[in-house]
Amino acid sequence: MFRESVLAGALVSEEVVATSAPAKTFDAYGRHIHYLRVSLTDRCNLRCVYCMPEQMVFRPSEELLTNEELVRVLRVMSRLGFDKYRLTGGEPTVRPGLVDIVREIAALPNTRDIAMTTNGVKLARLAAPLKAAGLKRVNISIDSLDPVKFRRITRWGDVRDVLDGIAAAEAVGLTPIKLNAVVIRGFNEEDVVSLAALTLDKPWQFRFIEVMPFADVAEFQMASIVTTQEMMARIQAALGTLSVENEGKLDGEARVYRLPGAKGTVGFISPVTAPFCASCNRVRLTADGTLRLCLLKDGEVDLKTPLRRGATEDDLEELIRRAIWHKPWGHDLADGVIPMNRVMSEIGG
Ligand code: SAM
Ligand code: SF4
């Protein structure tokens, strides 16, 4: 309607814009929820030790939302005022029809930002078509620059594929480039220095993530955690003082710093030692069609069943609005409450 009005002429479009401001959706704590993280698949072409077992069993594809069902849900999210999307997984680049999905999201009325979190393995080939379809930027996971350590962490990966993916993303303008590393004791805690040093010459943001516990892998994850405090100490001992950027305000979920003379920045995501629930503005859609209200809490609302039973977009809108109202305040990791019904690759991070 908005687009047609704009096409119809300036005067008409002004009038319509004034009366059709996007809806806003709030939870019971007054947080404005407008950011959807969409897990496109639970499958992956890697098997990171902190994320999934090597013999991971994936859901049958008929349990996942089809592209058409996914787009219907996204249309409803757009009606609810969602304007920011992040595609994730599993590994989003193994989802058939990814480029078309990006194009559909870009065409939704309120879309302001579409990003993707990827392991980067397939990005060298996909960066250009994704950019053309409307993807704005990527976060690429790279836990070590050392090929042997990278293989040990990801079990199957070749770090050169990821480096090629980063280069391709930068070349086509999927920027600003953000890189992620989960830091795991005994695997890559020393690598925080070489990874942070990438920001000296490149205008990238390198974000270090504290590992979070999920279901079957929780014991390994909790035994392997390296705290933000330790990561910062290692980086500063080798590369100099990290100065606070952004007046200490969070950039998304990361607290951001800069090394002396660096072109880029270093971020820390600390869900375990410094939760950021108060500023949470997001919910998640899992690949099998549930709305997950908090990454670290099991509460979910099934959208697929009503969708397959013929729910209208109005029905779905009401269901989602009510679910968001009940979004929990935050997680209870500090009290030892660990999410048990899914692992990270099934939720999307
Ligand atoms: N496959 C893509 C990737 O690896 O970037 C996207 C999905 S992955 C689940 C999203 C992010 O979550 C990645 O940066 C990954 O390293 C991180 N991650 C996976 N398991 C985690 C865990 N248990 N705790 C913290 N971060 C985790
Ligand atoms: Fe795959 Fe990403 Fe999980 Fe690694 S972190 S196994 S790349 S989904």
Side-chain angles (χ1 to χ4, degrees), residues 317-337:
E317 183 176 335
E318 190 46 35
L319 183 62
I320 296 171
R321 192 191 300 283
R322 248 187 290 135
I324 290 177
W325 181 257
H326 293 289
K327 178 175 161 64
W329 164 250
H331 65 72
D332 299 316
L333 285 188
D335 298 327
V337 182

Side-chain angles (χ1 to χ4, degrees), residues 229-292:
Q229 203 186 11
E230 177 179 337
M231 299 178 209
M232 288 181 77
R234 283 178 182 274
I235 292 168
Q236 296 198 102
L239 300 172
T241 306
L242 286 162
S243 325
V244 175
E245 290 274 302
N246 217 6
E247 296 167 344
K249 288 200 275 292
L250 290 179
D251 172 11
E253 54 277 82
R255 210 167 289 285
V256 183
Y257 300 81
R258 193 180 292 269
L259 284 165
K263 292 205 174 105
T265 55
V266 177
F268 296 92
I269 301 179
S270 321
V272 182
T273 60
F276 34 85
C277 309
S279 59
C280 190
N281 59 2
R282 68 202 60 179
V283 289
R284 294 170 160 80
L285 181 64
T286 66
D288 61 329
T290 71
L291 191 71
R292 186 164 174 113

Side-chain angles (χ1 to χ4, degrees), residues 70-82:
L70 175 61
V71 169
R72 271 193 86 199
V73 174
L74 295 175
R75 241 190 344 252
V76 174
M77 301 308 287
S78 175
R79 282 169 54 165
L80 286 160
F82 279 66

